[in-house]
Amino acid sequence: MNDPTPALPPTILGYVRRVSGRHQFALLWLTVTVFLLSAVPLEIQRRVINEAIRNGSVNPILWLALAYFGVALLEGCIKLLLNVYRAWVSEIAVLDLRRRVSASIAQVQQPGTADAQGTEISMILSEVEPIGGFVGISISEPLLQAGILVSVFGYLLFLQPLMALLCAAAISPQMVFVPMMQRAINRRAAERIETLRTVGGNVVGAQASGQQAVAAQDGRISHVFELDMGMFKIKFAMNFLMNLMHHLGVATALGVGGYYVVQGRIEVGTVVAFISGLGKVIDPWGDLVNWFREMTAVKMRYQLLIDAVDWINRDGAGPPGAAGPVRPA
C-alpha cells in the first residue's frame, strides 16, 4: 500500500480487497456481534411490560431494566469500536488514493493542459475522499444493517407471524420506488461530476491564457445548480415516502395488535415489542438505502478516477469531460 505506482484495480471491490482485505474480516466479526445483539432489547422490553401487567412485582422489573441497560451499553461500545475502526480504514484508503494520483501526475513529463490541471486538482483534493471513505463501510455496513433487519424481523415473526407479515407488506413498496429514484439520482450525480471537472479546467485555463468564456462558464455553473436541486428533490421525496411506509407499518401493528390484545390472543408486551421493533428497523433500512446510494455513486466516481489516471499516465491530459478529451498540442 506504500507504493502508489501499481495500477488501480478495475472495480471498486477489487480496490477494497487490495487496500483493506484483512481489516474487512475484523470489521465483519464486530458487525456480526452488533446485529446479533439487536433483538435482545426488544425481548427485554416485552418481558418488562408483561411482568408489570401480569404480576406487578418490582424486583424482576428492576433486574430486567438493569439487563436492558447492560445490553445497550455493550452494543453501544461495540458500535463505537466498529465506527472508529471503519473510519481508520477509510482514511487509510483516502491516503493511498491521493498518493497514487499524485504519483501519476508527477510521472507526466509534459505539462498538462488547463483542463487536465483542473481535473488533477479536483481529483487530489476532493474526488478521492468519497471513494476512500466508502472503503471502510463497503462490506461491514450492508452486513450490519441487513443483519439487524433479519434479526428484528425474525424476532417479530417468532412473536406473531401474521402481524410481522402484515407489517412487512406495509413497508415493502420501498423495494420498488427506492431503486428507481436512486437511479435517477445517480444519473444526475455523474453529469454533475463531469460538469464540475469542465468548470475547474476552464477556471485554470482562464488564469493561464487570460481568456474567459463567461457566458459558457455561467451556463455550466447554472446547470450544476439545476442538477443539485433535482437530486435534492428526488432524495427528499424518497425520504418522505420511506417515512410514510414506516408509519403505515406502525399503524398496522397498532391496529392488528390492538385487535389481538382485545381478543386475548397476544399480550400487550408483544404490541410494544412490535412498535419498538419497527422503530428499530427504520434506521437500518434508511442506512441500507444510503449505503446503496453511496455504493452506486462511488462505483461511478471510481470509474471516472480510473479513466482520469489512465489519461494522465498515457498523455498527460485529463479524462474526457463534457467537452470531450483534451490532449496536449
Side-chain angles (χ1 to χ4, degrees), residues 1 10 41 46-47 62 86 143 147 164 175 187 203 246 250 296:
M1 191 179 63
R46 185 184 72 85
R47 294 192 180 192
L62 293 179
R86 293 198 300 193
L143 178 64
M175 306 288 185
R187 288 194 297 268
V203 168
H246 166 71
V250 172
T296 52

Side-chain angles (χ1 to χ4, degrees), residues 44 58 67 79 112 157 191 204 218 222 233 237 243 274 286:
I44 296 176
V58 176
K79 277 185 178 180
L157 280 169
E191 187 175 354
V204 176
D218 183 70
S222 298
K233 290 176 182 178
N243 288 330
F274 261 85

Side-chain angles (χ1 to χ4, degrees), residues 20-312:
S20 65
R22 59 190 179 90
H23 296 294
Q24 296 297 336
F25 286 103
L27 290 173
L28 287 180
W29 281 107
L30 292 172
T31 298
V32 171
T33 303
V34 170
F35 75 66
L36 288 179
L37 290 172
S38 60
V40 177
L42 300 178
E43 174 63 14
I44 296 176
Q45 289 179 22
R46 185 184 72 85
R47 294 192 180 192
V48 168
I49 298 299
N50 290 339
E51 189 69 30
I53 295 176
R54 186 187 305 119
N55 299 324
S57 180
V58 176
N59 286 338
I61 294 175
L62 293 179
W63 281 110
L64 287 169
L66 184 61
Y68 179 90
F69 178 77
V71 171
L73 178 62
L74 178 61
E75 184 180 5
C77 289
I78 298 175
K79 277 185 178 180
L80 175 61
L81 177 60
L82 175 64
N83 289 332
V84 173
Y85 195 2
R86 293 198 300 193
W88 180 81
V89 171
S90 293
E91 288 304 310
I92 288 295
V94 171
L95 177 63
D96 176 73
L97 284 172
R98 282 182 174 146
R99 285 174 172 171
R100 288 174 182 271
V101 175
S102 297
S104 296
I105 295 173
Q107 290 172 2
V108 177
Q109 299 299 321
Q110 182 178 9
T113 63
D115 285 339
Q117 295 172 24
T119 298
E120 294 160 6
I121 294 171
S122 175
M123 284 190 301
I124 294 176
L125 295 182
S126 63
E127 290 189 20
V128 300
E129 289 193 15
I131 298 173
F134 178 75
V135 171
I137 66 170
S138 57
I139 298 176
S140 61
E141 182 70 2
L143 178 64
L144 174 63
Q145 307 308 336
I148 292 175
L149 289 173
V150 171
S151 297
V152 171
F153 265 114
Y155 172 72
L156 297 182
L157 280 169
F158 171 76
L159 285 183
Q160 225 300 320
L162 181 58
M163 277 184 63
L165 291 175
L166 289 174
C167 291
I171 64 177
S172 61
Q174 299 180 63
M175 306 288 185
V176 177
F177 67 75
V178 167
M180 294 174 57
M181 300 178 81
Q182 187 55 51
R183 283 193 293 269
I185 293 176
N186 293 341
R187 288 194 297 268
R188 288 163 174 80
E191 187 175 354
R192 179 182 185 274
I193 290 176
E194 293 290 356
T195 304
L196 283 176
R197 281 184 171 180
T198 304
V199 169
N202 285 341
V203 168
V204 176
Q207 293 176 348
S209 64
Q211 299 178 354
Q212 288 185 330
V214 178
Q217 190 77 329
D218 183 70
R220 296 187 190 97
I221 295 173
S222 298
H223 185 54
V224 171
F225 170 79
E226 294 172 357
L227 291 171
D228 285 340
M229 289 306 303
M231 287 189 291
F232 280 130
K233 290 176 182 178
I234 298 173
K235 176 184 175 181
F236 293 143
M238 183 166 60
N239 291 340
F240 165 75
L241 292 174
M242 290 172 61
N243 288 330
L244 190 63
M245 295 299 99
H246 166 71
H247 291 298
L248 179 60
V250 172
T252 301
L254 287 172
V256 178
Y259 172 78
Y260 281 168
V261 169
V262 172
Q263 296 294 317
R265 298 173 61 179
I266 61 174
E267 298 173 303
V268 175
T270 301
V271 180
V272 174
F274 261 85
I275 302 301
S276 297
L278 291 175
K280 207 173 176 69
V281 161
I282 187 172
D283 287 339
W285 173 247
D287 291 340
L288 200 59
V289 170
N290 290 336
W291 177 88
F292 176 75
R293 176 187 303 141
E294 189 169 352
M295 181 268 294
T296 52
V298 165
K299 285 177 61 178
M300 174 264 300
R301 286 178 179 271
Y302 186 75
Q303 187 57 53
L304 291 175
L305 178 64
I306 292 178
D307 293 342
V309 172
D310 183 55
W311 276 94
I312 291 170

